[in-house]
Amino acid sequence: NAGVTQTPKFRVLKTGQSMTLLCAQDMNHEYMYWYRQDPGMGLRLIHYSVGEGTTAKGEVPDGYNVSRLKKQNFLLGLESAAPSQTSVYFCASSYLLAGSQETQYFGPGTRLLVL
Amino acid sequence: AQSVTQLDSHVSVSEGTPVLLRCNYSSSYSPSLFWYVQHPNKGLQLLLKYTSAATLVKGINGFEAEFKKSETSFHLTKPSAHMSDAAEYFCVVSRSTGRRALTFGSGTRLQVQP
């Protein structure tokens, strides 16, 4: 049971390049999330998904797109990278039991540098 | 709307002394509250969570937190710090129902001196 995994671990991009970050979970969780972490700001939600084929915007969605074609995978895309997108990106997943508060499980993060 | 304020960006303690990391929250709804820990270059790990079952919540590694509604606080404590506790700690608030997106505090970096 690997939990939540993210690829790649580290990437350097030039301004204007595109890339896709992959998040995979093997816990059969319904919900998946993408966050970014910047110094002194905690984590901020970019996009999330409440099930296969569904996605929704979070707090800071601009410049990112996502897809959830399979329940276990959640992809984060940058179509035209900008230096402001230099950050550490975390994926998380969770399940929801009726009457219970979910717990989000986090991946190890992807460090992205945009030059 | 909801928000979290972690009152200290850095806390330094000596090994074997108590730890107190302070967190205040604001929420228009009945909140759920969490503490996560992040060790250097690692992902986030859940320490404990409050979901209205009990105001004093015990977590992993000897940490606990007390929910005080009148003070809108959820401070994290540990009786005796260990070197391995050195990490970044995040206080997090979430709605108990409906959309459950997490709102993170800005983090408190805990240093443990030998």
Side-chain angles (χ1 to χ4, degrees):
Chain A
N1 189 338
V4 180
T5 58
Q6 294 181 230
T7 53
K9 288 185 170 55
F10 176 71
R11 183 78 183 268
V12 179
L13 288 180
K14 294 181 179 178
T15 297
Q17 287 185 318
S18 63
M19 78 162 294
T20 300
L21 283 67
L22 171 64
C23 176
Q25 52 94 5
D26 60 3
M27 297 175 283
N28 201 34
H29 286 172
E30 289 293 333
Y31 294 3
M32 295 188 75
Y33 307 81
W34 275 107
Y35 294 88
R36 60 178 288 173
Q37 183 181 30
D38 300 297
M41 298 188 71
L43 275 71
R44 292 180 294 167
L45 183 65
I46 304 171
H47 286 280
Y48 65 100
S49 168
V50 299
E52 182 178 330
T54 71
T55 63
K57 294 180 180 180
E59 184 184 352
V60 288
D62 294 341
Y64 305 95
N65 57 75
V66 288
S67 64
R68 182 100 181 267
L69 298 180
K70 294 182 178 180
K71 185 177 183 179
Q72 64 267 33
N73 294 338
F74 195 30
L75 279 62
L76 178 71
L78 286 73
E79 289 187 349
S80 179
S84 61
Q85 294 177 304
T86 293
S87 188
V88 182
Y89 292 86
F90 286 99
C91 177
S93 71
S94 68
Y95 64 91
L96 180 63
L97 296 176
S100 175
Q101 177 58 36
E102 68 182 278
T103 295
Q104 293 191 14
Y105 296 83
F106 285 81
T110 294
R111 191 172 298 272
L112 177 64
L113 174 62
V114 183
L115 302 175
Chain B
Q2 56 192 27
S3 65
V4 176
T5 302
Q6 292 184 241
L7 299 168
D8 306 290
S9 58
H10 290 86
V11 170
S12 182
V13 301
S14 298
E15 190 174 21
T17 64
V19 175
L20 169 64
L21 305 183
R22 298 181 296 164
C23 172
N24 287 113
Y25 71 92
S26 171
S27 178
S28 304
Y29 312 96
S30 177
S32 291
L33 292 156
F34 307 78
W35 277 98
Y36 280 86
V37 61
Q38 183 181 27
H39 290 277
N41 299 314
K42 300 287 188 184
L44 282 78
Q45 180 185 17
L46 180 67
L47 271 180
L48 51 81
K49 63 180 179 181
Y50 164 77
T51 57
S52 77
T55 56
L56 183 62
V57 182
K58 292 189 185 298
I60 62 172
N61 301 333
F63 284 94
E64 62 182 39
E66 186 171 8
F67 173 71
K68 292 187 176 180
K69 186 175 181 179
S70 61
E71 300 176 10
T72 61
S73 69
F74 191 58
H75 300 335
L76 182 70
T77 61
K78 183 174 180 178
S80 177
H82 191 274
M83 295 297 291
S84 61
D85 294 329
E88 186 100 20
Y89 292 80
F90 292 96
C91 182
V92 181
V93 64
S94 171
R95 290 177 59 171
S96 296
T97 59
R99 180 184 155 194
R100 290 168 170 79
L102 303 182
T103 298
F104 282 74
S106 56
T108 298
R109 182 164 298 278
L110 175 65
Q111 285 184 309
V112 182
Q113 308 290 345

